[in-house]
Amino acid sequence: MKASWVAEEEKSKVLKMSGADMLMEALEKEGVDVLFGYPGGAVLPIYDALYKRNIKHILTRHEQGAIHAAQGFARVAGKPGVVIATSGPGATNLVTGIADAMIDSLPLVIFTGQVATSVIGTDAFQEADIVGITMPITKHNYQVRKVEELPRIIKEAFHLAQTGRPGPVLVDIPKDISTSIGSYKPSNEVDLPGYQPTTIPNLLQVKRLADAIAQAKKPVILAGAGVLFAKAEEEILALAEQHRIPVTNTLLGLGSFPSEHPLFLGMAGMHGTYAANTALHECDLLIGIGARFDDRLTGNLAHFAQKATVAHIDIDPAEIGKNVETLIPIVGCAKHTAAALLRESTTSGDTEEWVCQLAELKNSYPLWYKNEGDVLKPQRLLEIIHEETKGEAIVTTDVGQHQMWTAQYYGFSKPNRWVTSGGLGTMGFGFPAAIGAKIGKPELPVVAVTGDAGFQMTLQELSVLQEMKLPVVIVIVNNQSLGMVRQWQEIFYEERYSESLLPVQPDFVKLAAAYGIEAASVTTEEEARAKFAEALDSKGPFLLDCRVASDENVYPMIAPGKGIHQMIGVKP
Amino acid sequence: MRRIITATVLNRSGVLNRLTGLMTKRQFNIESITVGHSDDPSISKITIVVQVEDDRKLEQLLKQLHKQIDVLKVKDLTEMALVARELALIKVMTTPETRSEIKVIIEPFRASIIDVSLENVTIEVTGDNDKVEAIIELLRPYGIKEISRTGLTAMPRGTQKTVYNLNQFSII
Ligand SMILES: Cc1ncc(C[n+]2csc(CCOP(=O)(O)OP(=O)(O)O)c2C)c(N)n1
Ligand SMILES: [Mg+2]
């Protein structure tokens, strides 16, 4: 009798509201305080609900800008980036960013509008099958069919995006679902029987790795972005120091180990250091942590870590054994696993000779470039940026030569300050990502290092920068070319520069001025340093057009198809 | 090598698409795929017959299937004692003379004639792949007009000879 009375009372407390309002309620419940998006017909009800709320919305000037900004935000803020776009073209404009977030495991929750349920499947105005289109490039996706499902789906979407191996989750909301009224029951629990990521490692495997460490004479740790997602930097540092194990990073793992540490070998891979790649070639124990052994890292697999026992720690079991045969597979979160390993591995191998050998290589084969004449060398420019920011700024990049020079020369000493498009290599990523990063971490200086070509792919977001008066420094590494393409044509296509030179450019300083943004063009080292310091001190946005040598190449390098031991350009 | 894999999945819209999509994306060749719901209508069972190059590829496939959010369980049944069946409908040309011959041919297969017209009969047969192939070969000389096959569905037997060590790879 009493129970049914209580149930009645519970029922009367259930709120009735529209789908759009449910979305807002759920976003607030998830602690979302900023959205990146662009309105349109199918999301008008959502934008109307947003109008009454206290959630910040960044109106980028293109949906691609919105999603890259959300990616930059997610990379530095440690929480998912949230994106809204309308149906059809709004949704398809997000596709590049979704694919980018998928391959780089960035947590995003993306809401797209959809045409009304009654016309789905009729090729209605602005209808695109975004669920079908994004199926292979999302961790999971949904189309909402009943308004009451919204709280559960949103809860699941946020849970999926940021647990296990993070990734983008898309929720497609038909317009009539946004407007229809339903009973709002907040969702507090997730019930996903098919999704139970393993975070705690199997102790037996951890012990096997501890034994391998005790035996190893030439161990090396390869730390990837998984270390950063798991916030396992301290454990990895302790592990490396305790057993005297040299450490190298993947491109996306930079910042997970202090670059100035004596055990650090520099980045590995196609444009990695000679010492790091030699370590991967010669090692007898390779400990991969939160890294997925992609082809730009390994080079030709036939020559990768052939003498090594491979141990692979990853939260995604499907990564283990995918590319490299693995003797010690450990599924688990990097932090828990490294902590367990610290407890279990009481004996160190004798690694001193190996550590010395690699330190010697690091000394005799440093990164190099010729700093001669008056022309500003791009590598020198990145060193200056490092010096002026003390290696502590958030640095985003686009894709190309300037990206590799930043990875090589910026020298990250702190985690989560490196924002780049690694797996997909998306030109146009760097600048909008910097906007999101600045919003995610307003207390840190943010520098967007971009190419003259890539910047032109998403430069419309200068409007956002100016509107929000965000103190982001844009550094255009202007070599008047699609530098990375030009480099490959120089080396592998007998200098046939097919469509890779960009002599015709806008006047970037005037362009910035048109947006009301301060800017300067520099051609020498001294100018670059002075103007960069000025830009860094500026209270608002600043664009620096840096005219660098146009024929500079990124070295050292592993040519495509070659092994990790076959680097070219290791010495001047 | 040919593997028989079953996936127990949540019966959500698009789930079949997710599995076939990922297999296309990762270059796995599907020989046949069957779907039907289990005793619980919210859960479906998908049986996939697939060609894989080696153990490493197989491990990848099982893990990638398992990684899908809507997938509850993935099993490679190939090495287990199992019952596997498919159903085929075969339409064969007949004359008054051959009709009785055909009846005799199909009898040992426990197949039956389920439709008759003046020029042809339709035969239903159930069995493993070999059995279905065999009956088709025997009927071919009479002139086959049409074949429709369901693809394989399978289940491990109730009793397994040895304790089967489900290839766990590095899932845990
Ligand atoms: C969207 C997209 N299109 C094409 C490419 C291929 N690509 C890689 S680097 C590059 C040149 C980039 O030129 P720029 O932005 O000036 O950078 P730089 O290499 O000169 O530093 C191109 C075209 C890409 N990565 N992304
Ligand atoms: Mg360029």
Side-chain angles (χ1 to χ4, degrees):
Chain A
M1 194 59 201
K2 180 143 183 268
S4 77
W5 181 77
V6 171
E8 274 306 303
E9 170 139 309
E10 278 299 309
K11 228 188 250 165
S12 67
K13 267 197 277 179
V14 168
L15 290 169
K16 293 269 183 192
M17 64 173 83
S18 72
D21 279 318
M22 283 188 199
L23 170 60
M24 294 303 137
E25 286 289 327
L27 289 179
E28 281 174 0
K29 206 162 165 306
E30 292 294 334
V32 175
D33 44 23
V34 57
L35 305 170
F36 301 88
Y38 209 101
V43 286
L44 279 172
I46 294 175
Y47 275 84
D48 192 49
L50 178 67
Y51 195 72
K52 299 167 277 190
R53 301 280 172 154
N54 210 2
I55 305 177
K56 186 150 81 183
H57 178 276
I58 313 295
L59 176 69
T60 54
R61 275 24 174 200
H62 189 298
E63 287 87 353
Q64 187 182 357
I67 190 154
H68 291 331
Q71 291 180 269
F73 176 91
R75 184 66 88 186
V76 302
K79 46 185 179 178
V82 184
V83 180
I84 303 184
T86 192
S87 67
T92 55
N93 272 348
L94 298 175
V95 167
T96 302
I98 299 175
D100 192 285
M102 181 68 176
I103 200 163
D104 282 353
S105 311
L106 284 172
L108 296 184
V109 179
I110 301 141
F111 297 96
T112 49
Q114 184 53 278
V115 298
T117 321
S118 55
V119 292
I120 289 179
T122 66
D123 304 312
F125 178 64
Q126 293 193 328
E127 180 181 0
D129 175 16
I130 199 64
V131 171
I133 290 169
T134 60
M135 214 170 253
I137 52 168
T138 49
K139 184 169 172 183
H140 197 53
N141 62 13
Y142 296 88
Q143 186 172 69
V144 185
R145 300 286 168 88
K146 280 198 239 98
V147 65
E148 283 82 9
E149 291 178 346
L150 258 171
R152 172 186 63 82
I153 288 177
I154 295 169
K155 181 86 200 162
E156 288 179 7
F158 276 87
H159 178 74
L160 288 170
Q162 56 192 324
T163 55
R165 178 179 181 173
V169 180
L170 181 139
V171 182
D172 196 33
I173 309 179
K175 190 170 184 179
D176 56 312
I177 299 288
S178 292
T179 51
S180 67
I181 306 289
S183 333
Y184 173 68
K185 278 202 225 79
S187 177
N188 298 314
E189 304 275 314
V190 285
D191 178 24
L192 291 165
Y195 177 74
Q196 272 134 9
T198 308
T199 54
I200 307 294
N202 180 326
L203 204 58
L204 270 173
Q205 299 289 9
V206 174
K207 287 193 163 130
R208 284 181 68 204
L209 178 51
D211 285 345
I213 289 174
Q215 304 291 321
K217 295 213 157 40
K218 300 176 169 189
V220 62
I221 291 174
L222 170 68
V227 173
L228 296 164
F229 287 125
K231 300 188 171 53
E233 307 87 32
E234 280 177 25
E235 288 80 358
I236 305 297
L237 180 62
L239 202 61
E241 287 182 339
Q242 180 182 328
H243 299 296
R244 305 277 300 148
I245 305 175
V247 177
T248 179
N249 274 149
T250 64
L251 172 68
L252 288 172
L254 290 173
S256 62
F257 199 81
S259 63
E260 63 281 359
H261 197 284
L263 285 170
F264 188 58
L265 303 171
M267 177 176 76
M270 181 173 269
H271 293 295
T273 64
Y274 184 66
N277 286 343
T278 306
L280 291 178
H281 187 251
E282 295 297 319
C283 59
D284 63 3
L285 173 64
L286 169 57
I287 309 171
I289 311 178
R292 61 188 177 85
F293 296 122
D294 95 309
D295 53 289
R296 288 276 157 132
L297 176 98
T298 61
N300 188 331
L301 280 169
H303 305 289
F304 183 75
Q306 289 297 301
K307 303 165 191 166
T309 298
V310 177
H312 192 177
I313 300 166
D314 206 290
I315 195 142
D316 179 1
E319 283 305 337
I320 298 178
K322 184 178 82 177
N323 297 332
V324 174
E325 212 170 303
T326 303
L327 205 69
I328 308 177
I330 306 184
V331 180
C333 124
K335 194 176 180 75
H336 288 305
T337 309
L341 200 51
L342 278 170
R343 285 193 301 273
E344 294 299 326
S345 59
T346 43
T347 320
S348 305
D350 177 11
T351 68
E352 251 357 89
E353 200 178 315
W354 172 243
V355 170
C356 287
Q357 182 194 339
L358 292 173
E360 165 60 27
L361 281 184
K362 211 171 130 182
N363 256 325
S364 26
Y365 295 89
L367 291 167
W368 65 272
Y369 63 94
K370 291 190 179 137
N371 204 13
E372 62 208 354
D374 293 336
V375 213
L376 176 60
K377 286 295 169 99
Q379 300 93 330
R380 181 75 198 121
L381 174 65
L382 267 310
E383 288 174 340
I384 291 171
I385 296 173
H386 170 92
E387 288 156 21
E388 294 297 320
T389 57
K390 302 181 185 66
E392 295 190 350
I394 289 177
V395 180
T396 75
T397 74
D398 227 75
V399 170
Q401 290 184 312
H402 66 280
Q403 176 189 34
M404 292 301 124
W405 287 318
T406 311
Q408 291 179 331
Y409 290 93
Y410 184 74
F412 291 87
S413 37
K414 300 227 166 102
N416 303 315
R417 305 198 173 186
W418 169 230
V419 184
T420 198
S421 166
L424 201 66
T426 305
M427 284 173 73
F429 171 87
F431 169 46
I435 296 176
K438 185 72 198 176
I439 292 165
K441 277 265 182 286
E443 65 278 15
L444 291 178
V446 174
V447 182
V449 179
T450 77
D452 48 309
F455 180 61
Q456 294 187 62
M457 286 199 177
T458 45
L459 66 79
Q460 73 284 344
E461 306 308 339
L462 283 169
S463 270
V464 179
L465 209 57
Q466 171 58 6
E467 182 186 327
M468 299 184 68
K469 306 268 183 297
L470 288 177
V472 168
V473 184
I474 302 164
V475 174
I476 302 177
V477 182
N478 191 345
N479 52 11
Q480 309 216 3
S481 68
L482 315 182
M484 192 55 97
V485 174
R486 194 206 55 73
Q487 169 168 348
W488 282 52
Q489 290 172 339
E490 179 186 326
I491 305 175
F492 307 117
Y493 294 88
E494 297 169 319
E495 302 183 22
R496 288 186 297 278
Y497 297 127
S498 181
E499 307 295 321
S500 62
L501 306 180
L502 267 191
V504 180
Q505 301 187 319
D507 179 329
F508 287 112
V509 175
K510 280 192 188 151
L511 179 77
Y515 283 95
I517 289 173
E518 248 188 295
S521 183
V522 300
T523 55
T524 66
E525 212 181 298
E526 293 68 39
E527 279 179 340
R529 186 183 292 278
K531 284 291 171 191
F532 183 78
E534 186 186 328
L536 206 55
D537 281 345
S538 160
K539 296 268 171 296
F542 203 110
L543 182 149
L544 215 53
D545 173 21
C546 303
R547 301 304 181 97
V548 299
S550 60
D551 53 358
E552 201 63 21
N553 287 338
V554 184
Y555 285 122
M557 175 176 194
I558 305 169
K562 297 289 185 192
I564 199 155
H565 60 309
Q566 294 165 304
M567 296 199 85
I568 53 175
V570 294
K571 286 239 180 190
Chain B
M1 43 186 188
R2 184 169 174 274
R3 309 300 295 192
I4 302 169
I5 294 164
T6 59
T8 309
V9 304
L10 290 179
N11 191 6
R12 298 237 174 107
S13 92
V15 60
L16 182 61
N17 229 345
R18 287 182 202 283
L19 302 201
T20 55
L22 94 77
M23 292 178 74
T24 311
K25 167 177 158 185
R26 297 193 187 264
Q27 294 193 299
F28 288 102
N29 219 337
I30 303 174
E31 198 171 281
S32 79
I33 188 161
T34 63
V35 196
H37 57 70
S38 64
D39 54 335
D40 176 348
S42 69
I43 291 175
S44 293
K45 186 80 149 291
I46 301 183
T47 308
I48 308 165
V49 180
V50 62
Q51 291 286 349
V52 291
E53 269 162 51
D54 51 32
D55 279 341
R56 182 114 140 246
K57 280 265 174 359
L58 172 65
E59 174 180 350
Q60 251 309 290
L61 175 59
L62 298 179
K63 286 172 165 182
Q64 293 294 348
L65 289 170
H66 192 78
K67 190 160 137 180
Q68 291 295 321
I69 310 296
D70 288 339
V71 173
L72 303 176
K73 201 154 76 181
V74 180
K75 242 189 196 164
D76 180 356
L77 303 184
T78 321
E79 311 288 332
M80 302 181 78
L82 67 129
V83 279
R85 293 288 181 270
E86 75 171 312
L87 184 143
L89 300 177
I90 308 160
K91 191 177 281 170
V92 187
M93 312 291 284
T94 53
T95 59
E97 299 86 65
T98 58
R99 199 166 290 160
S100 52
E101 254 178 74
I102 287 173
K103 261 197 190 141
V104 174
I105 286 178
I106 68 172
E107 220 200 271
F109 290 90
R110 277 186 266 167
S112 49
I113 293 174
I114 54 170
D115 184 55
V116 184
S117 73
L118 280 180
E119 289 102 36
N120 56 57
V121 294
T122 302
I123 295 157
E124 176 198 309
V125 62
T126 310
D128 58 16
N129 278 94
D130 289 349
K131 178 176 164 188
V132 174
E133 295 294 341
I135 193 170
I136 290 171
E137 282 322 303
L138 286 171
L139 292 172
R140 202 177 290 286
Y142 297 94
I144 290 176
K145 245 192 122 194
E146 204 179 335
I147 296 180
S148 187
R149 297 172 67 163
T150 57
L152 209 65
T153 188
M155 209 179 252
R157 287 186 185 276
T159 327
Q160 295 291 319
K161 274 180 236 122
T162 49
V163 178
Y164 179 73
N165 181 14
L166 225 191
N167 253 337
Q168 274 290 346
F169 300 111
S170 39
I171 284 173
I172 43 165

